[in-house]
Amino acid sequence: MARGRRKPETDTELLEFVTAEEPVEARPRGRKARKAAKQEAKAAREAAKAEVPKRQGRFGVRSMGIAYEAFQSLRGRSMRTWMTAIGIALGIAATVATVGLSSTSAAAIAERFNATEATQVTVSFSNNMRDAGFAPTLDASERVRSIIGVENAGIFCTSSEERKASRTETQDYTRDVPVLGMEPGAMEAYGFTFVEGAAFDTGHVVRDDKVAIVDESAARDLGYASLEGGPMIYLNGEEYALVGVYTAPEGEAKLTGAVIIPPTPCTAADPAYGAAEVFIRTDLGAADKVAQTAPTAVFPEGADNLSVTKPSDLRNFRKGVENEMQALLLGLAGVSLVIGAVSVSNTALVSVMERRSEIGLRRAVGAARRAVAMQFVWESTLIGLIGGLFGTVLGVNVTAVVSLYRDWQIVFDPMLFAAGPVIGAVVGVVAGVYPAWRASRIPPAVTLRA
């Protein structure tokens, strides 16, 4: 026979007895029932949590409060702040000036290319055509000059070997010089300038007169002080009347130290001279169209046999120059930025070491590690931002001064005005991460040791 439970005799036993006799709720049976019960319990906890009022953070631990404290901290050490910001400013100035000067100089080089190479077209006969007796005529160059977009054009060719030039028929003193046959139109297309006399004209060419002009360096070497008295020049003993002394156009090495005669050897397909060419000066932007039309005007019977030299694509040229200069100079600017970042990081780390007691006191009164770290990140960011602002202004001024000194048109991307301060702030953030981490690891007990 089973023994029954003993009746309670004291108040404590009575309370335990009543509790034990209370019915226990049955646990939900089945997966769905248990899942529904968990969801109800979770909803109840969230509702209870929502009823509890949120704790309002103090001003010093909120983001704007931390930023304000960082600003006040920097104000208290203004000299150190400015010296550190100068390091960032120099790096940003170098970056901004590098990008601005590379763009400006690339534009200046492209503009110079526009004024010279971009307006030059050359139509050339081959040596095989010369050997077969084919050569341009004076009418051919006239047809080329009538093409829309052509400023001037003319035939020229260069001697296969240098000739001995002398002032006297007996050739007491000689100098080896290249000899070119050239039309007056080609001289104008090249942009000849004369220091003595003038170029021979079309009448000399038509009559096949024995006249010549000489580069000033060759004239000086041969002893031509002036053209008074109608001096003569002898080329391998052949006499020519010297009518002008010219200065070779910039960048035209083949015309330096040369003697130029009428283009008779060119039109006669003289084997002692190279194959004839027609040099064309075009309006800016007309070179491509002229290059397509000129061969037919020069030699209608066999335009496909002629070779045409025209300027390269200016867009690729300019982009290549700009990329090369930026790659070189941005490397130097990057070094400056790294130096600035190291300077900021070093200053922030020294500040952490000096303020250990202050940081420990903050931690002792309840400041979180995150709040301490954020304050030092904000300090580094503000230093970087200040350096970025002043560095951008300095970089723009450097670009302007150099451009004005070199007489360049300033080419500056407006995005750099915003990029400079942003880069400075980013450098400040990166530089302040480690010092901020060190500051957050300082324990509150440091205050007691101090």
Side-chain angles (χ1 to χ4, degrees), residues 92 96 388 392 414-425:
I92 297 297
V96 172
T392 301
M415 290 297 295
L416 286 176
F417 288 101
V422 171
I423 294 174

Side-chain angles (χ1 to χ4, degrees), residues 305-362:
N305 297 320
L306 303 179
S307 61
V308 181
T309 304
K310 63 179 182 177
S312 59
D313 190 347
L314 287 179
R315 291 171 298 182
N316 295 335
F317 175 80
R318 178 174 178 172
K319 192 66 177 178
V321 172
E322 188 172 352
N323 289 341
E324 290 293 333
M325 294 191 68
Q326 284 189 358
L328 174 63
L329 298 179
L330 281 178
L332 301 177
V335 172
S336 300
L337 280 179
V338 171
I339 294 173
V342 172
S343 175
V344 172
S345 182
N346 181 62
T347 302
L349 193 58
V350 171
S351 178
V352 169
M353 296 298 102
E354 291 178 348
R355 297 159 62 188
R356 288 172 61 86
S357 299
E358 173 193 338
I359 296 169
L361 180 60
R362 287 175 178 269

Side-chain angles (χ1 to χ4, degrees), residues 178-203:
V179 178
L180 287 82
M182 185 175 291
E183 262 193 296
M187 298 182 202
E188 294 181 10
Y190 273 114
F192 276 45
T193 56
F194 286 84
V195 295
E196 289 280 347
F200 47 79
D201 55 29
T202 305

